[in-house]
Amino acid sequence: MRICVVGAGYVGLTTATALADFGHEVQCVDIDQAKIESLRQGKVPFYEQGLQELMNINHQNGRLHFSIQVEENIRDSPIVLIAVDTPPKEDGSSNLSNIHSVVETIASNIKGYKLIITKSTVPPGTNALLYQMLLDKGVEEDLFDIVSNPEFLREGTALWDIKHPNKIVFGTRSERPIKILKKLYQKGKASYIFTSLTGAELIKYASNTFLATKISFANEMARICDAFEVNYIDVAKGLGTDPRINRHFLNAGLGFGGSCLPKDLCALKDAAMRQNVETKLLDAVMAINDTQIDIYLKKLRTVLPNLEGKQITVWGLTFKPHTDDLRTSPAIALIKQLIRKGCYVHTYDPMVQQELANVSNFNDQYESVKNSDALIIATEWEQFHECDWSEVKSRMKASIILDARNCIDEKIVRNEGFIYLGVGKP
Ligand code: UDX
Ligand code: UDX
């Protein structure tokens, strides 16, 4: 099938590449000229495991094309998949201007039947409004179907996720598009979930806010474990062995970040508030997340009471490992707090650097700890687990490690003579 994917970002490019790999002919369009130029030269502008290779294969075999000709490609494709970003506004609600502009372009370029698929995360009720918007612009009802098809792609494993989905959600207004929709993805063992437009939108928000809830629950439990001098890891293991609960998303630490969980939580709270629904649980989930950094700075002060003038090294900048994405990264928020407290900050990340005032970035993890009073591990990259701790100790001024992701072996570092502070650990 011929498909136009609008938006070549993390979600759009991954989806476009997978669809081409499934055998479709895909035109991936974006208004960002530099991005399209880079893609045409065979270069993915961000890191996503396996994407570069798969994109090259499908670009070279002629199934995946890149263009800035948004209008023409929308006009010529019977299927248009929208994957533009829906960033948060100051008040937490979603900025839908990108999606509106794409739908306007579609409205003025419908000649024959078009299947419009919304992949971008949009607040409940949006697809129904987009449907009405198309009618108001004079597009005949028979000429299009609109479908809400949310993504559940984790950065770092996005290609694996799209190739091995556990569910494929389609929100539709009628049964008309179902036959085509079933040809879109490789279903594998996944189940199809057909629901209304708004039902699909809410499945997406419910999924991400539930994951956020598990993390904040884990973080609150870790705080309680700290108070009772109990190892939270044991509690998480005990919880996780119950299949009704499971161990996923129970890692306590600096809290959740990234471009989705915090944004989706705020957007769902905002959407509920507009319908006069109180969201006490979601409010608590956010409040816990918002105070995680304070909790760890308080921990650090138990061994380093005055942070002013201290040199602190932070390992890990991205919002989680296996990505170069810094959007809403707890590590960056932590660094900004350290700077506000008068610290000098050194950073090291295996994949990225971030220019910040009063921060020195290093390419070498051992160089980065030179003369530091403390080392904070903010993202659980594997190489931190495997590092040479005697080398680290010999370069630091004081021997303090705050493992804010519980990712290194505390016995090894304690044997090396470090003061080790972990998450929910006596
Ligand atoms: C996606 C989703 O679409 C978002 O709703 C979801 O919640 C998170 O994942 P993401 O892929 O991360 O967003 O966004 P980004 O990497 O910023 O890519 C969006 C792309 O759309 C950009 O390349 C931008 O240039 C492009 N764009 C934006 C258009 O092509 N047209 C527009 O009108 C606006
Ligand atoms: C998320 C969803 O998981 C995915 O299905 C899709 O909807 C996009 O949004 P992503 O943003 O890539 O994916 O990251 P995710 O793996 O969900 O992690 C989000 C944050 O939670 C990270 O900052 C991570 O460090 C944190 N996290 C995760 C924890 O703090 N503890 C955990 O146990 C798991």
Side-chain angles (χ1 to χ4, degrees), residues 5-14 29-33 35 45-46 70 82-87 97-102 105 119-122 151 153 155 204-205 208 259-260 263-264 325 327:
V5 174
V6 187
Y10 281 85
V11 171
L13 185 60
T14 307
V29 299
D30 199 293
I31 52 171
D32 183 337
Q33 195 159 356
K35 191 177 264 186
F46 52 86
V70 179
I82 307 173
V84 294
D85 47 330
T86 50
S97 59
N98 290 339
I99 214 152
H100 286 159
S101 99
V102 175
T105 309
K119 178 65 72 185
S120 303
T121 306
V122 289
E151 50 86 12
L153 310 179
E155 283 179 31
K204 167 70 191 213
Y205 280 103
N208 273 359
S259 68
C260 291
K263 165 175 81 73
D264 294 351
D325 197 348
R327 291 179 289 180

Side-chain angles (χ1 to χ4, degrees), residues 128-355:
L129 288 174
L130 297 178
Y131 171 79
Q132 192 55 46
M133 193 172 146
L134 285 157
L135 294 183
D136 293 346
K137 290 197 172 294
V139 183
E140 284 179 29
E141 203 178 356
D142 279 356
L143 275 187
F144 74 99
D145 275 303
I146 186 156
V147 172
S148 169
N149 170 222
E151 50 86 12
F152 301 95
L153 310 179
R154 294 163 298 174
E155 283 179 31
T157 54
L159 274 179
W160 198 91
D161 289 343
I162 200 167
K163 290 186 165 199
H164 306 88
N166 44 41
K167 65 200 174 276
I168 299 172
V169 176
F170 289 123
T172 63
R173 293 190 78 258
S174 72
E175 294 199 347
R176 184 168 61 171
I178 290 178
K179 215 167 144 198
I180 308 177
L181 291 173
K182 284 189 170 172
K183 291 186 194 153
L184 205 57
Y185 299 107
Q186 281 178 3
K187 181 174 166 287
K189 289 184 182 148
S191 30
Y192 282 124
I193 297 175
F194 287 101
T195 176
S196 63
L197 290 177
T198 312
E201 291 161 347
L202 271 173
I203 288 173
K204 167 70 191 213
Y205 280 103
S207 300
N208 273 359
T209 53
F210 184 72
L211 294 173
T213 304
K214 276 191 100 171
I215 298 168
S216 279
F217 176 85
N219 283 327
E220 189 154 284
M221 280 305 131
R223 294 181 191 191
I224 296 171
C225 285
D226 263 334
F228 283 95
E229 301 199 339
V230 163
N231 192 338
Y232 169 71
I233 296 292
D234 296 342
V235 174
K237 207 185 273 172
L239 271 172
T241 46
D242 186 330
R244 293 171 301 174
I245 301 174
N246 85 47
R247 180 63 181 82
H248 297 295
F249 278 69
L250 286 179
N251 289 335
L254 276 185
F256 55 82
S259 68
C260 291
L261 262 50
K263 165 175 81 73
D264 294 351
L265 188 61
C266 289
L268 185 58
K269 264 156 42 89
D270 177 79
M273 188 191 73
R274 286 170 199 270
Q275 300 293 325
N276 298 317
V277 178
E278 271 192 276
T279 54
K280 286 186 178 160
L281 178 61
L282 302 185
D283 295 343
V285 170
M286 189 53 100
I288 292 168
N289 203 53
D290 284 346
T291 47
Q292 280 309 104
I293 286 166
D294 294 339
I295 294 280
Y296 289 97
L297 288 183
K298 206 167 143 195
K299 246 178 208 259
L300 185 60
R301 278 199 296 264
T302 60
V303 289
L304 208 57
N306 183 9
L307 289 177
E308 198 177 346
K310 296 291 184 302
Q311 185 182 300
I312 312 287
T313 297
V314 176
W315 280 0
L317 293 172
T318 52
F319 80 99
K320 65 174 188 181
H322 312 127
T323 175
D324 59 1
D325 197 348
L326 295 166
R327 291 179 289 180
T328 330
S329 172
I332 303 291
L334 166 79
I335 291 166
K336 287 183 176 165
Q337 283 258 38
L338 290 169
I339 298 293
R340 272 198 290 276
K341 303 228 173 303
C343 301
Y344 301 103
V345 180
H346 285 189
T347 69
Y348 169 76
D349 185 280
M351 208 169 265
V352 284
Q353 297 208 334
Q354 171 76 331
E355 293 307 321

Side-chain angles (χ1 to χ4, degrees), residues 35-62:
K35 191 177 264 186
I36 290 296
E37 204 41 57
S38 149
L39 288 166
R40 282 186 152 171
Q41 285 166 12
K43 208 175 159 300
V44 175
F46 52 86
Y47 175 76
E48 181 59 50
Q49 205 180 336
L51 186 58
Q52 179 70 65
E53 297 79 359
L54 201 68
M55 192 273 272
N56 284 344
I57 291 169
N58 286 282
H59 188 36
Q60 279 155 17
N61 70 20

